[in-house]
Amino acid sequence: MSVLRALIAKPWIWSFVGALAVWLAAIIFTGGSGAGGMLTAALSLAVFMVIVGIGQMFVITLGPGNVDLSLPANIGLASAVAMKVMDGNDSMVAVGLLAALAMGMAIGAANYLLIWALRIPPIIATLSASFIIQSIDISYGRGLQIKPPPGFADFTNVQILGVPILAILTVVFTIAAAIALQRTIYGRSVTAVGQNIRAAWLAGVPVGRIRFLTYMLSGTLGGLNGALLAGYFRGANVDIGNEYLLASIAVVVIGGTSVAGGKANVPGVWGAALFLVLLLTMLNTFGVSAGVRLLVTGLVIVGVITAAGGQKALR
Amino acid sequence: MLAGMTPRRLLRALLPALSLTLILIGIAWLNPRAISYFGFTLMLNLAIPIALATIAQMFVITGNDLDLSIGTFVGFVGCVTATWLRDEPLFGTLVLVGAIGVYAALGALIHLRNLPSIVVTLGMSFVWQGLAILLLPKPGGKAPDWLLHLMGFKSPWVPFPIIAAIVIAVVAHIGLMRTSYGAVLRGAGGNPVAISRAGWSLLKTKVAMFALAGLFGVLSGMALIGITTSADANIGNGYTLLSIAGVILGGGEFVGGRVSPIGAVIGALTLALAASPLLTFMHIPPDWQVGANGAILIIVLAARALISRREG
Amino acid sequence: MAEADADIIVRLDGVEKHFGAVHALDGVDFAVRAGECVGLVGHNGAGKSTLMHVLAGTLAPDKGGIAIGGAAQSGYTVTLAQALGIRCVFQELSLCPNLTVAENARINHASLKGIGWRRRAGDLILAKLDEIFPGHGIGPADVVRDLPIGKRQMVEVARAFTVTIDPLRLVILDEPTSSLDAQTAGQLLAFVRRVVADGASCILISHLLGEVLENSNRIVVMRDGKVIAADKAAAFDRDKLVTAMGAAGKPVRVATERTAERDSTTPIRIRARPERQADGAELVAHEGEIVGLAGLSGHGQTELLLAIFNGAARRTDRIEVTASVALVAGDRQADGIFSLWSIGENIGIRSIAQLRKGMLISPASEDEFAASWQKKINIRTPDIRNNILSLSGGNQQKALFARALGSDARIVLMDDPMRGVDIGTKREVYELIRQEARGGRTFLWYTTETDELEHCDHVYVFRNGRIVADLRRDELTEEKVIQSSFQATG
């Protein structure tokens, strides 16, 4: 009984409960068929949400007002860069990945430069940057059929006993991120800054440097995501990242990370990603149209943030 | 008012008008024939819906919030205008009024639960988008005739878009800057504690701001369809960044309740010109026009930051 | 008794207000009659601010009664206070910086609406400005943000005296001349005298004793949450006020075992000059010293501490710091506490680099570190892993001390950290500070409680952002500190 109680007390449990509920609803509707396949597909798609979700989680944990809206454009550009560098050549896979990561890192650095030098709120800085990145992507990836190297594409689709290999790797990555958050100086500094930026500064935390690193991290993960998406969907395109704007914020919020900063919930990102993907899958199973999908996603976000509430007024 | 103006402050205040003048000079130089009645009507065509959306965003920014859903909201309104408003006017009107009500309710929600407006409006942007797609899965519909006549009005001497822009600017200016309650609304952005200590309800001010944003969003969507004649669910998507850019270009600030309605309209005009006509005349490829919008915003903010820093 | 009551605008009976262990108001009887100006003086922590907030309705007393115009009040709020004619000019400005002067006047008067409201609001505030500050040079269309602080203060004061619907019975002025120059301050005080002569009342809180003596009918002296002296203004003079505010002539207890062994080889750890210091005086601290910063709160001590904190990273021509610094915050909500973390995490944040095993922070080291400090500084908690807010205020403050003392910083800056802390906690920490100083750590201690200065080797008294006195341990008395804190004339 106390095990159950301890389990319920864990903040991330609810997103998993939600995911389970949705999966069950979908299975009931299909009469049990395809349950396993649904899970595998959900895991595959959730991976991409988790990767950028973790980056976004670190940014949001920095404190109110911090968010990275440049992710979709970042992902689109990174997918193009990765594919162009790899050039259909399996031996260039590593180089291509590195190029995408470097691109993402540069975008993150550029974002922070705008925030720091021009003192614009991160929302505006990353939003403006995203438009510029989009243009770069459109002109860079113009016309060419960018297909991934066959080995790379296959790798991203490999499954072991029905579990995608990318999912396994991402779970490992998630564990690493959780450890980093809790047990490294960097991670502690992020949560300190998010709780009270002034107290953090007075306690000796290098606030500027921490923010810089965090935006770079988010950018880098966006780059990684772009490359992997191009491999998985066997092709790069400008819009490949569009759904990840809301998705990256949604998995953070639904997963239990505080929007006010200072409290991150790493396992929750997975639970929320599964929940969202299964929700969309369920809606598809019900034969629901694109419009309803968008509507439901939006309402779920508004519902969750309303239920969670904002920072308690300090007055 | 000019008493406390240092040269730097004056520069800041005139920045919107200066930017507009620069753009006009650029256009005149690149394509002199554009500076004509016909040319302006064509170029500034879309300025009206952009200006209306910018004013909507301005109301939200006055209260230290941000509306990331205005773009898709305009798209939704456009779809309603091109379908229900034409075919079932009463129902269509009810839907639009209801939409304003939703905006007002959002304002109340944000105040009562102390929610971050970014996340709420981001979520709502998908709601509006979803609703728009449900209404018009494919581009279509037709604007009501009265709307077409209104937006296509050929005014004597001065191009209609310019007259409309002036009217919008004047109405918004009087409403926010000249009325007694407008002062309270702005004060709520500048020093909410003082306003609430003086006995005003911050809930009411927040709801008022969002309701006004909803109203102008509806007007923007209707105006847009009046020009494009038919609608599509994605038609307003760019208006989110454009509206934010317009407010900032117009001298507004994200926090502190400092906005300028006239500046915002000028900013919207500048962007309408820069967003397409100028870039086309400069032979900037369409691929880069999207990025140019982002670049313009950054350049303006950089200019402002430089001026402020030296002002100390 | 009855006619006297009708004359009394506001009366407080036995009012108490506690913030945790702190008795901000410890049974205060206070009354203001119509047509009188009451001067309220007292050193830090006397309770003046709290009293003002209770009168204005922003704070509810824990015990005691409030009567306005003879009628007892229950459920007294700001709105009620305003309707009954009680106005306040706080030290932090309550103008909206983005609005004009006239618009700010409108904010306070809901009846100024409809056609022509702007003209009427402008006329209202302008008339009052002209009445109080002739030649002020402020226009009703001036945006508040663009006005210098002195003019903003003038607008704030003038607005408090404007009348539309609610009557004007009592105006509370908290350090109203702090941002005004001599001429404008004189105008304000002359106006106050006129208004009082016409039948309104005023409470004047000021650290400028001359100002209080010249402009009050009665003076009330507070200390430690109590009224300790109240009489006609004519019965007081500067010295009497200073004596009353202090510990009634008791000398600062000189703790005997404190000797700062200092010779010519003891290195200087800090040299710092406040920004507004014109005469070149500077604060100098040697290794192992405990240096005190005294004076009324808000007179530049915190600014200098923060400048020194920044100076550790980057040397400037004003500040020179030769060792690492840590800071103990006084306003723990704003500057110190990480409210989502445990006690242990709050203590360890300054030292996480040392608590690592390899790349990662070792939970065992962290727990050990926190436990050792819990013992050393005696933090009362059943589990160091509980959330920090589970601690009492005093213990939270101890955790902040542990954070700084447990770090490797050789200099510890303390920003009035004992505010609102119980005496038991204080004693435990004082001993620890003395111990650490003997071990070679340097302490800069800004405190608003003159008693604490007994632990210092050296005290700098601040006034208006400058060092005005430099007192060695052996010449330190509370009277000297208070004297330097308060200006000689208004």
Side-chain angles (χ1 to χ4, degrees), chain C residues 177 181-191 193:
Chain C
T177 59
D181 60 47
Q183 187 201 12
T184 358
Q187 289 175 327
L188 172 59
L189 293 168
F191 174 76
R193 286 197 297 273

Side-chain angles (χ1 to χ4, degrees), chain A residues 51-104:
Chain A
I51 294 177
V52 283
I54 296 214
Q56 191 72 275
M57 180 195 77
F58 273 97
V59 173
I60 288 180
T61 305
L62 275 179
N66 283 290
V67 70
D68 185 356
L69 297 181
S70 66
L71 276 170
N74 183 343
I75 293 172
L77 181 58
S79 69
V81 164
M83 292 301 100
K84 251 214 175 138
V85 170
M86 288 186 197
D87 206 16
N89 197 337
D90 273 329
S91 61
M92 289 295 281
V93 168
V95 182
L97 272 175
L98 274 169
L101 289 174
M103 170 105 271

Side-chain angles (χ1 to χ4, degrees), chain C residues 421-439:
Chain C
V421 173
D422 60 280
I423 189 71
T425 304
K426 286 189 201 182
R427 290 216 181 95
E428 283 165 345
V429 178
Y430 296 158
E431 182 48 46
L432 198 52
I433 293 176
R434 279 199 291 268
Q435 232 175 33
E436 293 276 331
R438 276 197 291 272

Side-chain angles (χ1 to χ4, degrees), chain B residues 17-239:
Chain B
L18 276 173
S19 317
L20 182 60
T21 318
L22 272 169
I23 303 273
L24 283 172
I25 293 176
I27 290 179
W29 184 43
L30 289 166
N31 190 349
R33 263 175 299 180
I35 309 294
S36 64
Y37 181 93
F38 184 64
F40 272 123
T41 309
L42 210 56
M43 288 192 297
L44 289 176
N45 219 341
L46 286 173
I48 303 175
I50 294 177
L52 287 165
T54 306
I55 294 292
Q57 185 70 258
M58 181 198 74
F59 282 117
V60 174
I61 288 183
T62 307
N64 300 327
D65 286 308
L66 206 58
D67 183 3
L68 293 180
S69 66
I70 192 73
T72 52
F73 182 66
V74 166
F76 167 71
V77 170
C79 294
V80 171
T81 308
T83 52
W84 287 328
L85 204 57
R86 179 187 181 77
D87 304 324
E88 290 162 62
L90 190 59
F91 183 61
T93 314
L94 276 171
V95 170
L96 290 178
V97 170
I100 298 178
V102 171
Y103 250 84
L106 284 173
L109 196 64
I110 288 176
H111 176 80
L112 291 169
R113 293 288 295 164
N114 202 13
L115 302 176
S117 50
I118 319 165
V119 180
V120 175
T121 54
L122 197 55
M124 284 310 291
S125 77
F126 279 67
V127 171
W128 299 123
Q129 177 97 91
L131 289 172
I133 291 182
L134 281 175
L135 197 48
L136 266 185
K138 288 198 199 11
K142 191 156 190 293
D145 292 326
W146 57 267
L147 194 55
L148 288 171
H149 288 317
L150 176 65
M151 297 311 293
F153 182 62
K154 295 265 181 294
S155 54
W157 299 114
V158 184
F160 178 64
I162 296 183
I163 296 182
I166 293 176
V167 169
I168 296 168
V170 167
V171 168
H173 181 83
I174 293 179
L176 191 61
M177 310 296 284
R178 304 298 303 177
T179 60
S180 61
Y181 196 61
V184 177
L185 288 177
R186 283 180 293 126
N191 191 344
V193 175
I195 294 292
S196 116
R197 270 213 203 125
W200 301 97
S201 159
L202 286 178
L203 174 63
K204 283 201 191 131
T205 59
K206 189 72 83 181
V207 168
M209 291 308 218
F210 273 82
L212 284 165
L215 173 64
F216 277 83
V218 164
L219 293 175
S220 173
M222 284 169 57
L224 183 55
I225 300 309
I227 296 170
T228 62
T229 70
S230 69
D232 113 52
N234 291 308
I235 201 170
N237 286 357
Y239 277 30

Side-chain angles (χ1 to χ4, degrees), chain C residues 15 146 350 449:
Chain C
V15 164
D146 296 334
R350 183 74 174 74
E449 237 167 281

